[in-house]
Amino acid sequence: MKHCDPEEISLLALGETPSPDDAVHLLTCDECRHRWEDLCRIVDTARELHDDELLAPPPHIWAAIAEEIAEPSTVTALPARSARRWAPWIAVAAAVGVLLGGVVGVALTRPTTPATTVVASAALDPLEDYATSGAATVEVVDGAERLAVNVSDLPQTDGYFEVWLLAPDASSMIAVGTLGAGSSSSFPLPPGVSLADYPVVDISLEAYDGDPTHSAISVARGTLPA
Amino acid sequence: MTMADPVDRPGDPDLADQRLAESFATGGEPTFAAVYERWSPLVYSTARRATGNTDEAADITQAAFVSAWRSRASFDPTRGSLPGWLLTITRRRIADRWSQRSREPIPDDTPDPGVEITPVDDAIDRILIADELQRLGEPPGTIMRLAFYEQLTHAEIAERLDLPLGTVKSHIRRSLDRMRRRLEVDREAL
C-alpha cells in the first residue's frame, strides 16, 4: 500500500481538497490518518490564535524574581582602614562610571564560538586621567559563566591591573582576577554571584604592596545591563 | 532554499535554545536571566490563558521561575526539553492557585475582560504553536500566516509570493512538522 505524500497530508490539513486516491487511502491507513488528524488539530489551534497570544510578562516580575532568588553576598568584609580611605572617592567615580559606561547590549547574541553564549556585555570607559577603554562580556562557556575583559591603552606601570565587580554604589566589591600581560583575559565568575548586585566592572591599577584591597585607582569602568 | 543541519547555521535560534538548556542546571544568574528572557512569555501567556487574569498570571510566573531557579539542578537536558520542564512547573503553580481559590469563599479576582479562559492543556498547545510560528523565519512564516489566516491554497500562496509551487509545499510540510514535533517534545514532560 502506497502512503500519502506527507506534503499532500499537510495541504489536506489546511483544508485543500484531496485526490480520490488520497481520500480513500486516508480512510484505510491508520498511520496516514493519524498524521492527518494531528496536523488538523494544529491547524485548528493556529487559526484560533489571537494577536496577543504570546505576551512577555510585565517588567517588574523579573525584578521581583531577582530579589527573591538573590543569594547571600559572598563578599568578605573589607578592612575598615581601606574602606575609609577610598569609599567616598570610589562612590563618586561609580556614579561617573554609570554615566559614561554605555551599555552595549543585553540578552542573547549569536555565539562567537560554538560553545559560547554571550549573556551580557558593557563598554568599559576611561576614568579620570586615563585613556583605557574596551569591553566586558559575560559568557557562558560549556555551562560555566565567565567574565571576559578586553581593553586597550592601559597606562605604563610598575604594578599590575586587577578586575573587580562592584556594587552600584561601590559599597562592596569582588576581586575577579588579575589582568594578564595581554589586553584580553577571561575569568571564571564565582558561583552564585549576582550581577544584579555587582553590575559594575572595574579595572584598577595595583602596586605590588601586598595589600589585597582595591588601590582606589581605577583606570576603566562600565556597567553591565540589569 | 535548503535547510542545513542546525549545527551548520550560526545564530540558529534552535541551537541557541539548546545551548541555553544545556547551561541551565549548572549556570548562575546570568544564564537564568537569559532563560527567563527566552521562555517567560510562554509561562506568563499560559498562566494568563488558564486563569483569565493578568495579575494572577504575573504571580504564577514569579512563583514558577523562583521554583525553577531553586530546583534547576534537577533539570536534565538529556531527559526532556527545558520549556516542557518549565511548563510542568507552571501547571503545578496554576493548580496551586486553583486549590487556593477553591478554599476562598468569594474569589477576590475575576477574569479580565477580553482574556478568554482556556483549560491548561489547550492553553499550552496554543502558546507552543504561537511560539513556533514566531520562530519560523522567512519565508515560511509568511507562507504559514497566509495559509492559516487568509486561508489561501498553496497555489495562491505561490502566486502571491512568486515562489515555485514545490517550495511552498515543502515549507508548509516542514513548518507543520516542526509544530507537531514541538508539541510532542515539550508535552512529553507534562
Side-chain angles (χ1 to χ4, degrees), chain B residues 21-103:
Chain B
E22 284 164 3
S23 319
F24 175 68
T26 51
E29 206 183 287
T31 305
F32 186 64
V35 166
Y36 181 84
E37 181 78 20
R38 167 66 185 97
W39 284 294
S40 63
L42 269 65
V43 168
Y44 175 70
S45 305
T46 299
R48 179 171 168 267
R49 228 170 217 297
T51 61
N53 182 288
T54 51
D55 291 340
E56 288 235 351
D59 289 350
I60 289 166
T61 305
Q62 182 177 340
F65 274 94
V66 170
S67 309
W69 168 259
R70 293 192 176 134
S71 53
R72 68 192 185 285
S74 71
F75 171 71
D76 178 354
T78 63
R79 286 181 46 216
S81 83
L82 183 52
W85 188 79
L86 291 169
L87 287 170
T88 306
I89 295 177
T90 306
R91 201 154 74 158
R92 285 196 207 121
R93 297 294 83 85
I94 292 170
D96 292 348
R97 287 274 147 173
W98 289 127
S99 63
Q100 221 170 28
R101 259 192 191 185
S102 64
R103 287 195 299 270

Coordinates of all heavy atoms in Angstrom, one line a residue, chain B residues 21-103:
Chain B
A21 N 19.6 25.6 27.4 CA 19.0 24.5 28.2 C 20.2 23.7 28.8 O 20.1 23.2 29.9 CB 18.1 23.6 27.3
E22 N 21.3 23.5 28.0 CA 22.4 22.7 28.5 C 23.1 23.4 29.6 O 23.7 22.8 30.5 CB 23.4 22.4 27.4 CG 22.9 21.3 26.4 CD 23.7 21.3 25.1 OE1 24.6 22.1 24.9 OE2 23.3 20.5 24.2
S23 N 23.1 24.8 29.6 CA 23.8 25.5 30.7 C 22.9 25.7 31.9 O 23.5 26.1 32.9 CB 24.2 26.9 30.2 OG 24.6 26.9 28.9
F24 N 21.6 25.5 31.8 CA 20.7 25.9 32.8 C 21.0 25.3 34.2 O 21.0 26.0 35.2 CB 19.3 25.6 32.3 CG 18.2 25.9 33.4 CD1 17.9 27.2 33.7 CD2 17.5 24.9 34.0 CE1 17.0 27.5 34.7 CE2 16.6 25.1 34.9 CZ 16.3 26.4 35.3
A25 N 21.2 24.0 34.2 CA 21.3 23.3 35.5 C 22.5 23.8 36.3 O 22.4 23.9 37.5 CB 21.3 21.8 35.3
T26 N 23.6 24.1 35.6 CA 24.8 24.4 36.3 C 25.1 25.9 36.3 O 25.9 26.4 37.0 CB 26.0 23.7 35.7 OG1 26.0 24.0 34.3 CG2 26.0 22.2 35.9
G27 N 24.3 26.7 35.5 CA 24.6 28.1 35.3 C 24.1 28.9 36.5 O 23.4 28.5 37.4
G28 N 24.6 30.1 36.5 CA 24.2 31.1 37.6 C 23.1 32.0 37.1 O 22.4 31.7 36.2
E29 N 23.1 33.2 37.7 CA 22.0 34.1 37.5 C 22.0 34.7 36.0 O 20.9 34.8 35.4 CB 22.1 35.3 38.5 CG 20.7 35.9 38.6 CD 20.8 37.1 39.6 OE1 21.0 36.9 40.8 OE2 20.7 38.2 39.1
P30 N 23.2 34.9 35.4 CA 23.1 35.4 34.0 C 22.5 34.4 33.1 O 21.7 34.8 32.2 CB 24.6 35.6 33.7 CG 25.3 35.8 35.0 CD 24.6 35.0 35.9
T31 N 22.7 33.1 33.3 CA 22.1 32.1 32.4 C 20.6 32.1 32.7 O 19.8 32.0 31.8 CB 22.7 30.7 32.7 OG1 24.1 30.8 32.5 CG2 22.1 29.7 31.8
F32 N 20.3 32.2 34.0 CA 18.9 32.1 34.4 C 18.1 33.3 33.8 O 17.0 33.2 33.3 CB 18.8 32.1 35.9 CG 17.4 32.0 36.4 CD1 16.7 30.8 36.2 CD2 16.8 33.0 37.1 CE1 15.4 30.6 36.7 CE2 15.5 32.8 37.6 CZ 14.8 31.6 37.4
A33 N 18.8 34.5 33.8 CA 18.2 35.7 33.2 C 17.9 35.5 31.7 O 16.9 35.9 31.2 CB 19.1 36.9 33.4
A34 N 18.8 34.8 31.0 CA 18.6 34.5 29.6 C 17.5 33.5 29.4 O 16.7 33.6 28.4 CB 19.9 34.0 29.0
V35 N 17.4 32.5 30.3 CA 16.3 31.6 30.2 C 15.0 32.3 30.4 O 14.0 32.0 29.7 CB 16.5 30.4 31.3 CG1 15.3 29.6 31.5 CG2 17.7 29.5 30.8
Y36 N 15.0 33.2 31.4 CA 13.7 33.9 31.7 C 13.3 34.8 30.4 O 12.2 34.8 30.0 CB 14.0 34.9 32.9 CG 12.7 35.7 33.2 CD1 11.7 35.1 34.0 CD2 12.6 37.0 32.7 CE1 10.6 35.9 34.3 CE2 11.5 37.7 33.0 CZ 10.5 37.2 33.8 OH 9.4 37.9 34.1
E37 N 14.3 35.5 29.9 CA 14.1 36.3 28.7 C 13.5 35.4 27.5 O 12.5 35.9 26.9 CB 15.4 36.8 28.2 CG 15.4 37.8 27.0 CD 14.9 39.1 27.4 OE1 14.9 39.5 28.6 OE2 14.5 39.8 26.4
R38 N 14.0 34.2 27.4 CA 13.5 33.4 26.3 C 12.2 32.8 26.5 O 11.3 32.7 25.6 CB 14.6 32.3 26.0 CG 14.1 31.2 25.1 CD 13.9 31.7 23.7 NE 13.3 30.6 22.8 CZ 12.0 30.4 22.6 NH1 11.1 31.2 23.1 NH2 11.6 29.4 21.8
W39 N 12.0 32.2 27.7 CA 10.8 31.4 27.9 C 9.7 32.0 28.9 O 8.6 31.4 29.0 CB 11.2 30.0 28.4 CG 11.7 29.2 27.2 CD1 11.0 28.8 26.1 CD2 13.0 28.7 27.0 NE1 11.8 28.0 25.3 CE2 13.0 28.0 25.8 CE3 14.2 28.8 27.8 CZ2 14.2 27.4 25.3 CZ3 15.3 28.2 27.3 CH2 15.3 27.5 26.1
S40 N 10.0 33.1 29.5 CA 8.9 33.7 30.4 C 7.6 34.0 29.6 O 6.5 33.9 30.2 CB 9.4 34.9 31.2 OG 9.8 35.9 30.3
P41 N 7.7 34.5 28.3 CA 6.4 34.7 27.6 C 5.5 33.4 27.6 O 4.3 33.5 27.6 CB 6.8 35.2 26.2 CG 8.2 35.8 26.4 CD 8.8 34.9 27.5
L42 N 6.2 32.3 27.4 CA 5.4 31.0 27.4 C 4.7 30.8 28.7 O 3.5 30.4 28.7 CB 6.3 29.8 27.1 CG 6.5 29.5 25.6 CD1 7.2 30.6 24.8 CD2 7.3 28.2 25.4
V43 N 5.4 30.9 29.8 CA 4.9 30.7 31.1 C 3.8 31.7 31.4 O 2.7 31.3 31.8 CB 6.1 30.8 32.2 CG1 5.5 30.8 33.6 CG2 7.0 29.6 32.0
Y44 N 4.1 33.0 31.2 CA 3.1 34.0 31.5 C 1.9 33.9 30.7 O 0.7 34.0 31.2 CB 3.8 35.4 31.3 CG 2.9 36.6 31.5 CD1 2.4 36.9 32.7 CD2 2.5 37.3 30.4 CE1 1.6 38.0 32.9 CE2 1.6 38.4 30.5 CZ 1.2 38.8 31.8 OH 0.3 39.8 31.9
S45 N 2.0 33.6 29.4 CA 0.9 33.6 28.5 C 0.0 32.3 28.8 O -1.2 32.4 28.7 CB 1.3 33.6 27.0 OG 2.1 34.7 26.8
T46 N 0.7 31.2 29.1 CA -0.1 30.0 29.5 C -0.9 30.3 30.8 O -2.1 30.0 30.8 CB 0.9 28.8 29.8 OG1 1.6 28.6 28.6 CG2 0.1 27.6 30.2
A47 N -0.3 31.0 31.8 CA -1.0 31.3 33.0 C -2.1 32.3 32.8 O -3.2 32.2 33.4 CB 0.0 31.8 34.0
R48 N -1.8 33.2 31.9 CA -2.8 34.2 31.6 C -4.1 33.6 31.0 O -5.2 33.9 31.3 CB -2.2 35.2 30.6 CG -3.1 36.4 30.2 CD -2.3 37.4 29.4 NE -3.1 38.4 28.8 CZ -3.5 38.2 27.5 NH1 -3.2 37.2 26.8 NH2 -4.3 39.2 26.9
R49 N -3.8 32.6 30.1 CA -4.9 32.0 29.4 C -5.7 31.0 30.4 O -6.9 30.9 30.3 CB -4.4 31.2 28.2 CG -5.3 31.5 27.1 CD -4.9 31.1 25.8 NE -5.2 32.1 24.8 CZ -6.5 32.5 24.6 NH1 -7.5 32.0 25.2 NH2 -6.7 33.5 23.7
A50 N -4.9 30.4 31.2 CA -5.5 29.4 32.1 C -6.3 30.1 33.2 O -7.3 29.5 33.7 CB -4.5 28.5 32.7
T51 N -5.9 31.3 33.6 CA -6.6 31.9 34.8 C -7.5 33.1 34.3 O -8.4 33.5 35.0 CB -5.6 32.6 35.8 OG1 -4.9 33.6 35.1 CG2 -4.7 31.5 36.4
G52 N -7.3 33.6 33.1 CA -8.0 34.7 32.6 C -7.8 36.0 33.3 O -8.5 36.9 33.2
N53 N -6.7 36.0 34.0 CA -6.4 37.2 34.9 C -4.9 37.5 34.8 O -4.1 36.7 35.1 CB -6.8 36.9 36.3 CG -6.6 38.1 37.2 OD1 -5.5 38.4 37.6 ND2 -7.7 38.7 37.6
T54 N -4.6 38.8 34.4 CA -3.2 39.1 34.2 C -2.4 39.2 35.5 O -1.2 38.9 35.6 CB -3.0 40.5 33.4 OG1 -3.8 41.4 34.1 CG2 -3.5 40.3 32.0
D55 N -3.0 39.7 36.6 CA -2.3 39.8 37.9 C -2.0 38.4 38.4 O -0.9 38.1 38.9 CB -3.2 40.5 39.0 CG -3.3 42.0 38.6 OD1 -2.5 42.5 37.9 OD2 -4.3 42.6 39.1
E56 N -2.9 37.4 38.3 CA -2.7 36.1 38.7 C -1.6 35.5 37.8 O -0.7 34.8 38.3 CB -3.9 35.2 38.5 CG -5.0 35.5 39.5 CD -5.4 34.2 40.2 OE1 -5.0 33.1 39.8 OE2 -6.2 34.4 41.2
A57 N -1.6 35.8 36.5 CA -0.6 35.2 35.6 C 0.8 35.7 36.0 O 1.8 35.0 36.0 CB -0.9 35.6 34.2
A58 N 0.8 37.0 36.4 CA 2.1 37.6 36.9 C 2.6 36.9 38.1 O 3.8 36.5 38.2 CB 2.0 39.1 37.1
D59 N 1.7 36.6 39.1 CA 2.1 35.9 40.3 C 2.6 34.5 40.0 O 3.6 34.0 40.6 CB 0.9 35.8 41.3 CG 0.6 37.2 41.9 OD1 1.4 38.1 41.7 OD2 -0.5 37.3 42.5
I60 N 1.8 33.8 39.1 CA 2.2 32.4 38.8 C 3.6 32.4 38.1 O 4.4 31.6 38.4 CB 1.1 31.8 37.9 CG1 -0.2 31.6 38.7 CG2 1.6 30.5 37.3 CD1 -1.4 31.3 37.9
T61 N 3.8 33.4 37.2 CA 5.1 33.5 36.5 C 6.2 33.6 37.5 O 7.3 32.9 37.5 CB 5.1 34.6 35.5 OG1 4.0 34.5 34.7 CG2 6.4 34.7 34.7
Q62 N 6.0 34.5 38.5 CA 7.0 34.7 39.5 C 7.3 33.4 40.3 O 8.4 33.0 40.5 CB 6.6 35.9 40.4 CG 7.6 36.2 41.5 CD 7.2 37.4 42.4 OE1 6.4 38.2 42.0 NE2 7.8 37.5 43.5
A63 N 6.2 32.8 40.8 CA 6.3 31.6 41.6 C 7.0 30.5 40.8 O 7.8 29.7 41.3 CB 5.0 31.1 42.1
A64 N 6.6 30.4 39.5 CA 7.2 29.3 38.6 C 8.7 29.5 38.4 O 9.4 28.5 38.5 CB 6.4 29.2 37.3
F65 N 9.1 30.7 38.2 CA 10.5 30.9 37.9 C 11.4 30.8 39.2 O 12.5 30.4 39.2 CB 10.8 32.2 37.2 CG 10.7 32.0 35.7 CD1 9.5 32.3 35.0 CD2 11.8 31.5 35.0 CE1 9.4 32.0 33.7 CE2 11.7 31.3 33.6 CZ 10.5 31.5 32.9
V66 N 10.8 31.2 40.3 CA 11.5 31.0 41.6 C 11.7 29.5 41.9 O 12.8 29.1 42.2 CB 10.8 31.8 42.8 CG1 11.4 31.3 44.1 CG2 10.9 33.3 42.6
S67 N 10.6 28.7 41.6 CA 10.7 27.3 41.8 C 11.8 26.7 40.8 O 12.6 25.9 41.2 CB 9.4 26.5 41.5 OG 8.4 27.1 42.1
A68 N 11.7 27.2 39.6 CA 12.7 26.7 38.5 C 14.1 27.0 39.0 O 15.0 26.2 38.8 CB 12.4 27.4 37.2
W69 N 14.4 28.2 39.5 CA 15.7 28.5 40.0 C 16.2 27.6 41.1 O 17.2 27.1 41.1 CB 15.7 30.0 40.5 CG 17.0 30.4 41.2 CD1 17.1 30.5 42.6 CD2 18.3 30.7 40.7 NE1 18.4 30.8 42.9 CE2 19.1 31.0 41.7 CE3 18.7 30.8 39.3 CZ2 20.4 31.3 41.5 CZ3 20.1 31.1 39.2 CH2 20.9 31.4 40.2
R70 N 15.3 27.4 42.0 CA 15.6 26.5 43.2 C 15.8 25.1 42.8 O 16.6 24.4 43.5 CB 14.6 26.7 44.3 CG 14.6 28.1 44.8 CD 13.8 28.3 46.1 NE 14.0 29.7 46.6 CZ 13.0 30.4 47.0 NH1 11.8 30.0 47.1 NH2 13.3 31.7 47.4
S71 N 15.1 24.6 41.8 CA 15.3 23.2 41.5 C 16.0 23.0 40.2 O 15.9 21.9 39.6 CB 13.9 22.5 41.5 OG 13.0 23.2 40.6
R72 N 16.8 24.0 39.8 CA 17.4 23.9 38.4 C 18.4 22.7 38.4 O 18.6 22.2 37.3 CB 18.1 25.2 38.1 CG 19.3 25.6 38.9 CD 19.7 27.1 38.6 NE 20.9 27.5 39.2 CZ 21.0 27.8 40.5 NH1 20.0 27.6 41.3 NH2 22.2 28.1 41.0
A73 N 19.0 22.4 39.5 CA 20.0 21.3 39.5 C 19.3 20.0 39.1 O 20.0 19.1 38.6 CB 20.7 21.2 40.8
S74 N 18.0 19.9 39.2 CA 17.3 18.6 38.9 C 16.9 18.5 37.4 O 16.4 17.5 37.0 CB 16.1 18.5 39.8 OG 15.1 19.4 39.4
F75 N 17.1 19.6 36.7 CA 16.8 19.6 35.3 C 17.9 18.9 34.5 O 19.1 19.2 34.6 CB 16.6 21.0 34.7 CG 16.5 21.0 33.2 CD1 15.3 20.5 32.6 CD2 17.5 21.4 32.4 CE1 15.2 20.4 31.3 CE2 17.4 21.4 31.0 CZ 16.3 20.9 30.5
D76 N 17.5 17.8 33.8 CA 18.5 17.1 33.0 C 18.2 17.3 31.5 O 17.2 16.7 31.0 CB 18.4 15.6 33.4 CG 19.4 14.8 32.6 OD1 20.0 15.3 31.6 OD2 19.5 13.6 32.9
P77 N 19.0 18.0 30.8 CA 18.7 18.3 29.4 C 18.6 17.1 28.5 O 18.1 17.1 27.4 CB 19.8 19.3 28.9 CG 20.9 19.1 29.9 CD 20.3 18.7 31.2
T78 N 19.2 16.0 28.9 CA 19.2 14.8 28.1 C 17.9 14.0 28.3 O 17.6 13.1 27.5 CB 20.4 13.8 28.4 OG1 20.2 13.4 29.8 CG2 21.7 14.5 28.3
R79 N 17.1 14.4 29.3 CA 15.9 13.7 29.6 C 14.6 14.4 29.2 O 13.5 13.9 29.2 CB 15.8 13.3 31.0 CG 16.8 12.1 31.3 CD 16.7 11.7 32.7 NE 15.4 11.5 33.2 CZ 15.0 11.8 34.5 NH1 15.9 12.3 35.3 NH2 13.8 11.6 34.8
G80 N 14.7 15.7 28.8 CA 13.5 16.4 28.4 C 13.8 17.8 28.0 O 14.9 18.3 28.2
S81 N 12.8 18.5 27.4 CA 13.1 19.9 27.0 C 12.9 20.8 28.1 O 12.1 20.6 29.1 CB 12.1 20.2 25.9 OG 10.9 20.6 26.4
L82 N 13.7 21.9 28.1 CA 13.6 22.9 29.1 C 12.2 23.6 29.1 O 11.6 23.8 30.2 CB 14.7 23.9 29.0 CG 14.8 25.0 30.1 CD1 14.7 24.4 31.5 CD2 16.0 25.8 30.0
P83 N 11.7 24.1 28.0 CA 10.3 24.7 28.0 C 9.3 23.7 28.6 O 8.4 24.1 29.3 CB 10.0 25.1 26.6 CG 11.1 24.5 25.7 CD 12.3 24.2 26.6
G84 N 9.4 22.4 28.2 CA 8.5 21.4 28.8 C 8.6 21.3 30.3 O 7.6 21.3 31.0
W85 N 9.8 21.4 30.8 CA 10.0 21.3 32.2 C 9.4 22.6 32.9 O 8.8 22.5 33.9 CB 11.5 21.2 32.4 CG 12.0 21.0 33.8 CD1 12.0 19.8 34.5 CD2 12.6 22.0 34.7 NE1 12.6 20.0 35.8 CE2 12.9 21.3 35.9 CE3 12.8 23.3 34.7 CZ2 13.5 21.9 37.0 CZ3 13.4 24.0 35.7 CH2 13.7 23.3 36.9
L86 N 9.7 23.7 32.3 CA 9.1 25.0 32.8 C 7.6 25.0 32.8 O 7.0 25.5 33.8 CB 9.7 26.2 32.0 CG 11.2 26.5 32.2 CD1 11.6 27.5 31.1 CD2 11.5 27.0 33.6
L87 N 7.0 24.4 31.8 CA 5.6 24.4 31.7 C 5.0 23.4 32.7 O 3.9 23.6 33.2 CB 5.1 24.0 30.3 CG 5.3 25.2 29.2 CD1 5.1 24.7 27.8 CD2 4.4 26.4 29.6
T88 N 5.7 22.3 33.0 CA 5.3 21.4 34.1 C 5.2 22.2 35.4 O 4.2 22.1 36.1 CB 6.2 20.3 34.2 OG1 6.4 19.7 33.0 CG2 5.7 19.2 35.2
I89 N 6.2 23.0 35.7 CA 6.2 23.8 36.9 C 5.0 24.8 36.9 O 4.3 25.0 37.9 CB 7.6 24.5 37.1 CG1 8.7 23.5 37.3 CG2 7.5 25.5 38.3 CD1 10.1 24.1 37.4
T90 N 4.9 25.4 35.7 CA 3.8 26.4 35.6 C 2.4 25.7 35.9 O 1.6 26.3 36.5 CB 3.8 26.9 34.1 OG1 5.1 27.4 33.8 CG2 2.8 28.0 33.9
R91 N 2.3 24.5 35.3 CA 1.0 23.8 35.5 C 0.7 23.6 37.0 O -0.4 23.7 37.5 CB 1.0 22.5 34.7 CG -0.4 22.1 34.5 CD -0.5 21.3 33.3 NE 0.0 19.9 33.5 CZ -0.3 18.9 32.8 NH1 -1.2 19.0 31.8 NH2 0.2 17.7 33.0
R92 N 1.8 23.2 37.7 CA 1.7 23.0 39.2 C 1.3 24.3 39.9 O 0.5 24.3 40.8 CB 3.0 22.4 39.8 CG 3.2 21.0 39.4 CD 4.2 20.3 40.3 NE 4.8 19.2 39.6 CZ 6.1 19.2 39.3 NH1 7.0 20.1 39.7 NH2 6.6 18.1 38.6
R93 N 2.0 25.4 39.5 CA 1.7 26.6 40.2 C 0.2 27.1 39.9 O -0.4 27.7 40.7 CB 2.7 27.7 39.8 CG 4.1 27.5 40.2 CD 4.3 27.5 41.7 NE 4.0 26.2 42.3 CZ 4.9 25.2 42.4 NH1 6.1 25.3 41.9 NH2 4.5 24.0 43.0
I94 N -0.2 26.8 38.6 CA -1.6 27.1 38.3 C -2.6 26.3 39.2 O -3.5 26.8 39.7 CB -1.9 26.9 36.8 CG1 -1.1 27.9 36.0 CG2 -3.4 27.0 36.5 CD1 -1.1 27.6 34.5
A95 N -2.2 25.0 39.3 CA -3.1 24.1 40.2 C -3.1 24.6 41.6 O -4.1 24.6 42.3 CB -2.5 22.7 40.1
D96 N -1.9 25.1 42.1 CA -1.9 25.7 43.5 C -2.9 26.8 43.6 O -3.6 26.9 44.6 CB -0.5 26.3 43.8 CG 0.6 25.2 43.9 OD1 0.3 24.0 43.9 OD2 1.8 25.6 43.9
R97 N -2.9 27.6 42.6 CA -3.8 28.8 42.6 C -5.3 28.3 42.6 O -6.1 28.9 43.4 CB -3.6 29.6 41.3 CG -2.4 30.4 41.3 CD -2.6 31.7 42.0 NE -1.4 32.1 42.6 CZ -1.3 33.3 43.2 NH1 -2.2 34.1 43.2 NH2 -0.1 33.6 43.8
W98 N -5.6 27.3 41.8 CA -7.0 26.8 41.8 C -7.4 26.3 43.2 O -8.5 26.5 43.7 CB -7.2 25.7 40.8 CG -7.2 26.2 39.3 CD1 -6.4 25.7 38.3 CD2 -7.9 27.3 38.8 NE1 -6.6 26.4 37.2 CE2 -7.5 27.4 37.4 CE3 -8.9 28.2 39.3 CZ2 -8.1 28.3 36.5 CZ3 -9.4 29.1 38.4 CH2 -9.0 29.2 37.1
S99 N -6.5 25.5 43.8 CA -6.8 24.9 45.1 C -6.9 26.0 46.2 O -7.8 26.0 47.0 CB -5.9 23.8 45.5 OG -4.6 24.4 45.7
Q100 N -6.1 27.1 46.0 CA -6.2 28.2 46.9 C -7.5 28.9 46.8 O -8.2 29.2 47.7 CB -5.1 29.2 46.5 CG -4.4 29.8 47.7 CD -3.2 30.6 47.1 OE1 -3.1 31.0 46.0 NE2 -2.1 30.7 47.9
R101 N -7.9 29.1 45.5 CA -9.1 29.8 45.2 C -10.4 29.0 45.7 O -11.3 29.6 46.2 CB -9.3 29.8 43.7 CG -9.0 31.2 43.1 CD -9.4 31.2 41.7 NE -8.9 32.3 41.0 CZ -9.3 32.6 39.8 NH1 -10.1 31.8 39.1 NH2 -8.8 33.7 39.2
S102 N -10.3 27.7 45.6 CA -11.5 26.9 46.0 C -11.7 27.0 47.5 O -12.8 26.7 48.0 CB -11.3 25.4 45.5 OG -10.3 24.8 46.2
R103 N -10.6 27.3 48.2 CA -10.8 27.4 49.7 C -11.3 28.8 50.1 O -11.8 29.0 51.1 CB -9.4 27.2 50.4 CG -9.0 25.7 50.4 CD -7.9 25.5 51.4 NE -6.7 26.3 51.1 CZ -5.7 25.8 50.3 NH1 -5.8 24.6 49.8 NH2 -4.7 26.6 50.1

